[in-house]
Amino acid sequence: MNEKQRIESQKVVAGNPTDKKSAKDFSKYFESVYIPPSLKDAKKRGKEEVNYHNDFHISEEFQGLGNNKKFYIRTYGCQMNEHDTEVMAGIFLGLGYEPTDTVNDADVILLNTCAIRENAENKVFGELGHLKTLKKHRPNLLIGVCGCMSQEESVVNKILKTYNQVDMIFGTHNIHRLPNILKEAYMSKEMVVEVWSKEGDVIENLPKVRKGEIKAWVNIMYGCDKFCTYCIVPYTRGKERSRRPEDIIQEVRHLAAQDYQEITLLGQNVNAYGKDFEDMTYGLGDLMDEIRKIDIPRIRFTTSHPRDFDDRLIEVLGKGGNLLDHIHLPVQSGSSEVLKMMARKYDRERYLELVGKIKAAMPNASLTTDIIVGFPNETEEQFEETLSLYREVEFDTAYTFIYSPREGTPAAKMVDNVPLEVKKERLQRLNALVNEISAKKLKEYEGQVVEVLVEGESKKNPDVLAGYTEKSKLVNFRGPKSVIGKLIKVKVTKAKTWTLDGELVEEALEV
Ligand code: SAH
Ligand code: SF4
Ligand code: F3S
């Protein structure tokens, strides 16, 4: 099937299910043409080459589509979604739309969704409920669902059946098709569904409107091939594919020229960077070694997978400079048996060994992590191994979750014999430990001078400024507005539960 045929076969312009006259015909028609997103197809990882495209443009037929119209995008989930929103905002602007920060005067509302846990999905269904009322009063409003949930067949089917206020559903591989999808939605006033199940493409020249002028995200790779047994991401984001180093470096240089102070390199598993290149000799360490020479004061990367974290990367990170020594290294569990069931492909010992190597190369490194409690069959002893690993590593902080079964993943088929009450209780115990160690670590900052990238006024008090340290600690302090966007030195006066209070030492660092 060529590209055009595939687009045609995957694209469905569904009749309006509310149109009673044609409901039966519609249903027949729909079944005959509708190809739902398939988790099974999404799992296939072909050996086909990654196609790089540089030819995105907004063709004449779409010019002015958004004149005198406003768009609003609500983003759920991780930084990858946040960054996709920046791309979609870029496309909207290219079409002539203006942004708005309220749904009330928007002409198009997009929900950029996350499928990682059930409660993430429930939030979106709740929001769709609210939007139904809005749509009743303003029938011309277009409502779209995109992001990871739209890659799930069960979600698409549910929306088609019960949420007829939705006009468009499109997947994570279809973002560049937004102009076509919008036009179709306007023309037909019928539900447009366009979701490709797997894609191996990288589209380089999509427009972007970044949310801030101080910090920026840069994708270095897309997708995930790890297939941890609990996780939906490999199905919703497609196969691992790396951007070419030259494209990434050019983007980072461009951001440096625009005076950005901090870059976060993004991918679901950034340590697998380059593994899909033919010669497989260029990895994340090599990329970081080039990027560190670019004149940007702070470089971060996320998310790391312990399995692919290699010595070359550790060596490069050890060079310091603008490469920050804060590493987010999700462990998920402290028990080797649970890690095996999760198919994480490392065990407790290897994780601790890696932590040891990182700390040897970067003595001041701070580590943060993600942990899942209540995985099917997790025993009390296995959970306690998570607690003991946490104490041993002394993470700065952690994102902690109760396991949530995701349809189509291997773990969802496992018998789960851990009662919800037990899962909740484990989460509480783990959070108590996380809080205890975070508080202890924050307390150590009292009296120290830290470097802060000032982001703006504090949310609670406009007379107070707020910014982040190299290790992502939020610091509040009083100072002139002229330091916003700059790196300055602040003396920490008090550690609060989650944040630090400080006073300005020096207005701006020589960089
Ligand atoms: N790629 C990253 C994580 C992406 S998802 C990594 O591999 O570490 C962010 C976090 O959500 C995961 O680290 C995991 O802790 C959590 N998570 C993923 N699937 C989950 C599920 N089914 N239930 C509960 N938490 C989950
Ligand atoms: Fe999910 Fe595992 Fe991939 Fe992370 S590495 S996105 S947890 S499958
Ligand atoms: Fe959620 Fe998709 Fe990110 S499932 S965590 S938005 S990759």
Side-chain angles (χ1 to χ4, degrees):
M1 216 189 271
N2 67 29
E3 169 102 351
K4 195 153 177 257
Q5 285 166 326
R6 196 191 49 213
I7 291 171
E8 287 312 314
S9 74
Q10 295 272 8
K11 190 174 68 188
V12 174
V13 180
N16 184 352
T18 54
D19 178 0
K20 291 218 167 58
K21 198 158 46 81
S22 64
K24 214 170 157 200
D25 292 345
F26 158 70
S27 155
K28 258 200 207 145
Y29 158 77
F30 188 75
E31 272 164 27
S32 69
V33 294
Y34 173 52
I35 302 174
S38 154
L39 292 180
K40 228 164 118 202
D41 286 350
K43 177 148 195 182
K44 289 181 198 145
R45 288 293 187 266
K47 283 266 172 268
E48 73 267 26
E49 252 179 60
V50 174
N51 290 314
Y52 292 85
H53 302 271
N54 236 322
D55 53 357
F56 178 84
H57 71 285
I58 292 177
S59 75
E60 229 158 75
E61 61 171 313
F62 305 125
Q63 302 283 348
L65 192 67
N67 285 354
N68 305 316
K69 293 196 184 88
K70 292 184 180 168
F71 73 94
Y72 175 90
I73 310 177
R74 179 160 297 168
T75 315
Y76 302 81
C78 65
Q79 292 101 324
M80 248 76 45
N81 256 17
E82 296 274 357
H83 193 44
D84 284 350
T85 290
E86 295 183 332
V87 171
M88 292 191 285
I91 298 177
F92 272 118
L93 289 200
L95 292 168
Y97 288 85
E98 273 176 56
T100 170
D101 52 13
T102 154
V103 289
N104 296 322
D105 66 353
D107 299 282
V108 184
I109 299 171
L110 288 186
L111 303 185
N112 191 6
T113 62
C114 171
I116 202 82
R117 283 168 290 273
E118 194 184 354
N119 56 7
E121 296 199 348
N122 288 343
K123 275 191 219 155
V124 171
F125 287 121
E127 186 58 29
L128 284 176
H130 297 145
L131 292 178
K132 188 167 190 164
T133 330
L134 211 63
K135 177 101 181 174
K136 253 192 208 142
H137 292 118
R138 291 171 30 220
N140 289 334
L141 170 69
L142 281 189
I143 298 176
V145 175
C146 57
C148 288
M149 278 170 73
S150 49
Q151 293 294 140
E152 293 179 282
E153 47 200 292
S154 58
V155 169
V156 172
N157 288 333
K158 183 167 166 179
I159 293 176
L160 283 164
K161 225 163 132 195
T162 6
Y163 293 85
N164 52 36
Q165 64 271 40
V166 173
D167 304 279
M168 312 169 272
I169 307 175
F170 59 97
T172 55
H173 307 301
N174 306 69
I175 286 175
H176 63 292
R177 302 255 317 146
L178 183 57
N180 311 59
I181 294 163
L182 282 166
K183 186 161 184 206
E184 211 133 354
Y186 281 124
M187 300 257 294
S188 59
K189 290 266 177 251
E190 290 169 341
M191 205 183 296
V192 179
V193 182
E194 192 182 297
V195 183
W196 296 342
S197 288
K198 70 175 177 127
E199 239 344 89
D201 291 2
V202 172
I203 302 172
E204 273 305 334
N205 65 332
L206 290 168
K208 291 174 196 120
V209 178
R210 296 189 194 269
K211 218 163 122 197
E213 292 165 357
I214 304 169
K215 303 202 287 192
W217 287 303
V218 173
N219 272 121
I220 62 167
M221 60 183 301
Y222 304 94
C224 181
D225 284 351
K226 285 287 165 292
F227 289 100
C228 303
T229 52
Y230 51 81
C231 185
I232 193 78
V233 172
Y235 307 86
T236 63
R237 290 272 165 179
K239 72 172 187 173
E240 278 176 4
R241 53 215 190 269
S242 305
R243 288 180 70 196
R244 292 194 191 105
E246 57 271 26
D247 291 324
I248 298 168
I249 289 164
Q250 192 193 40
E251 184 172 349
V252 177
R253 285 219 175 100
H254 191 62
L255 291 166
Q258 291 172 281
D259 219 19
Y260 276 89
Q261 301 292 301
E262 186 177 305
I263 302 289
T264 304
L265 305 175
L266 286 185
Q268 279 300 348
N269 170 16
V270 285
N271 306 80
Y273 177 78
K275 293 217 152 58
D276 53 320
F277 292 152
E278 219 159 72
D279 55 7
M280 295 212 305
T281 54
Y282 189 94
L284 182 62
D286 305 295
L287 180 69
M288 297 293 277
D289 206 20
E290 293 196 62
I291 289 181
R292 75 187 178 86
K293 293 169 195 151
I294 301 175
D295 189 14
I296 288 210
R298 290 181 168 189
I299 312 279
R300 302 180 189 275
F301 59 99
T302 200
T303 300
S304 285
H305 190 298
R307 184 183 174 203
D308 296 321
F309 209 111
D310 59 26
D311 292 350
R312 166 76 176 134
L313 176 62
I314 297 175
E315 175 213 324
V316 172
L317 292 177
K319 296 181 184 178
N322 56 1
L323 305 181
L324 301 189
D325 55 1
H326 167 206
I327 293 171
H328 186 63
L329 193 65
V331 66
Q332 312 301 357
S333 166
S335 151
S336 295
E337 288 132 20
V338 174
L339 288 169
K340 196 163 186 197
M341 287 194 291
M342 290 176 163
R344 289 290 285 181
K345 307 209 172 77
Y346 56 84
D347 57 16
R348 179 188 175 99
E349 286 64 40
R350 271 200 48 203
Y351 186 88
L352 288 172
E353 195 187 308
L354 175 61
V355 169
K357 278 191 197 171
I358 292 172
K359 288 190 174 169
M362 290 172 276
N364 292 319
S366 71
L367 293 167
T368 52
T369 200
D370 292 349
I371 293 173
I372 296 176
V373 300
F375 190 76
N377 296 299
E378 183 190 61
T379 63
E380 171 62 23
E381 291 71 32
Q382 289 167 337
F383 169 67
E384 282 171 16
E385 286 188 76
T386 298
L387 296 179
S388 74
L389 178 125
Y390 199 91
R391 261 195 202 287
E392 192 170 337
V393 178
E394 288 217 315
F395 293 101
D396 270 34
T397 190
Y399 298 97
T400 57
F401 311 102
I402 287 182
Y403 164 72
S404 170
R406 306 281 68 214
E407 198 181 316
T409 61
K413 296 186 195 90
M414 296 177 189
V415 179
D416 188 353
N417 59 358
V418 187
L420 185 61
E421 280 317 301
V422 174
K423 292 178 197 263
K424 284 188 182 161
E425 186 252 350
R426 286 183 190 164
L427 184 71
Q428 272 179 11
R429 278 157 69 200
L430 175 61
N431 284 345
L433 177 63
V434 169
N435 297 348
E436 176 200 316
I437 295 181
S438 295
K440 182 182 130 190
K441 294 242 159 173
L442 277 183
K443 196 89 189 145
E444 288 168 6
Y445 281 99
E446 285 185 357
Q448 279 188 31
V449 173
V450 289
E451 190 185 287
V452 175
L453 176 56
V454 190
E455 294 200 2
E457 292 166 4
S458 127
K459 280 191 191 123
K460 287 192 197 137
N461 180 353
D463 295 334
V464 171
L465 297 177
Y468 287 88
T469 69
E470 290 186 356
K471 302 200 154 109
S472 300
K473 308 285 179 223
L474 181 60
V475 185
N476 292 305
F477 63 98
R478 284 176 192 271
K481 304 259 187 286
S482 57
V483 298
I484 293 174
K486 300 214 165 88
L487 283 162
I488 50 143
K489 290 211 164 162
V490 174
K491 182 166 183 185
V492 177
T493 49
K494 192 168 176 27
K496 300 252 187 91
T497 320
W498 300 113
T499 61
L500 300 169
D501 281 350
E503 56 194 32
L504 194 63
V505 175
E506 196 186 290
E507 291 227 337
L509 284 178
E510 300 296 322
V511 259

